[in-house]
Amino acid sequence: MPPLVSLDELKTYLKITGTSDDALLASCASNASIQAERDTSRVFAVTSNVTHYYSTDGAASVTIHDRPFSDATRVVTWNGVALVENTGYWMLQDRRNPEVSTTIQIRQYDRTGAWYKADPQWWDKNLDMLDRRGGMPNDLQISGTVGHPATPLDVKQAVTELAAAMFWKAKSGASGVVSTANGSPVDIAELEDRYQRFVNNWRIRTAVTAV
C-alpha cells in the first residue's frame, strides 16, 4: 500500500535536507503507515478493485473495511444476488470521517428476525429454512475501492510523528528527548502518547471472515 506520509513530508517534519538517510526514512514512513492501519483495524490508504467477504450472521448491518461513501465502481452481492445501492443496501457514514463508510446496512432494522426476506429470491433459495439465528457463511461480498479518498489530517499527523519516532530510535536508540536538525527538543514518549490517543480514537473492529 502507498505510505500515508511521503518521504518529502517526513523530511520536512524532521527538517532534514540531505539524502543520506532517505532509505531509512522511506522505511519508517512505510512501517508507520502499516502499523497505524494494523493498530486501528482501519484502511486509510486508497486501493482500487479490492474484494472482501463478510458473514452477516443475519444482522441488518455489518462493520466493514473503510470504503468511500460514494464509489461508482462498488458492487455489493448478498447471497449471490447483486444489490442496488440505496435500495438493497445503504452505506452509513463513519462518525470520524463522513467521506467513508465502515458500516453497510442490507435491510431495515426490525424485530421480526426475518433476515432472509431482504433477499428477493429467499423463497427459491429456501432461506427461510436456515437457522433463524443467522445466515450463510461469507454471504456478503463487496468489491470496489477501499480506503479514504483523502487522508484525514489527524491521521497524517499521527503517522508522521510515529515515523519520526521510529527514525530517531533507529538512528540513535533514543527513547527520551532528542533534538531535531535545527536543535529543537522533541520528547519521543510524548509522540508515542499522542499516537496512542489517535489509535484509541480511530480503532474499530472489522468483522471480516475472508479476503
Side-chain angles (χ1 to χ4, degrees), residues 38-184:
R38 182 178 65 243
D39 289 344
T40 60
S41 295
R42 307 295 297 247
V43 179
F44 296 114
V46 173
T47 308
S48 60
N49 195 29
V50 177
T51 300
H52 291 117
Y53 296 85
Y54 306 86
S55 290
T56 66
D57 195 27
S61 58
V62 179
T63 301
I64 60 174
H65 295 82
D66 301 63
R67 288 184 178 271
F69 181 69
S70 299
D71 178 15
T73 70
R74 182 162 46 235
V75 176
V76 175
T77 303
W78 185 69
N79 277 318
V81 177
L83 304 181
V84 178
E85 188 164 4
N86 295 325
T87 301
Y89 76 92
W90 297 261
M91 305 299 288
L92 307 185
Q93 289 179 304
D94 181 66
R95 69 175 178 83
R96 302 161 192 81
N97 182 6
E99 292 185 358
V100 300
S101 299
T102 56
T103 303
I104 184 172
Q105 185 173 340
I106 56 176
R107 62 175 174 81
Q108 67 182 26
Y109 295 118
D110 62 56
R111 299 173 185 266
T112 65
W115 59 270
Y116 52 88
K117 290 187 177 179
D119 187 336
Q121 298 180 14
W122 67 269
W123 177 265
D124 296 329
K125 295 180 178 180
N126 292 321
L127 295 182
D128 57 322
M129 302 302 293
L130 293 174
D131 187 339
R132 300 302 176 84
R133 293 174 298 176
M136 295 294 292
N138 291 339
D139 55 340
L140 179 65
Q141 175 180 324
I142 306 177
S143 300
T145 302
V146 66
H148 292 233
T151 304
L153 293 179
D154 61 327
V155 174
K156 182 177 285 291
Q157 181 67 22
V159 174
T160 300
E161 292 178 350
L162 177 61
M166 288 179 172
F167 172 74
W168 279 316
K169 285 186 175 182
K171 285 288 288 184
S172 62
S175 59
V177 177
V178 298
S179 296
T180 64
N182 66 353
S184 301

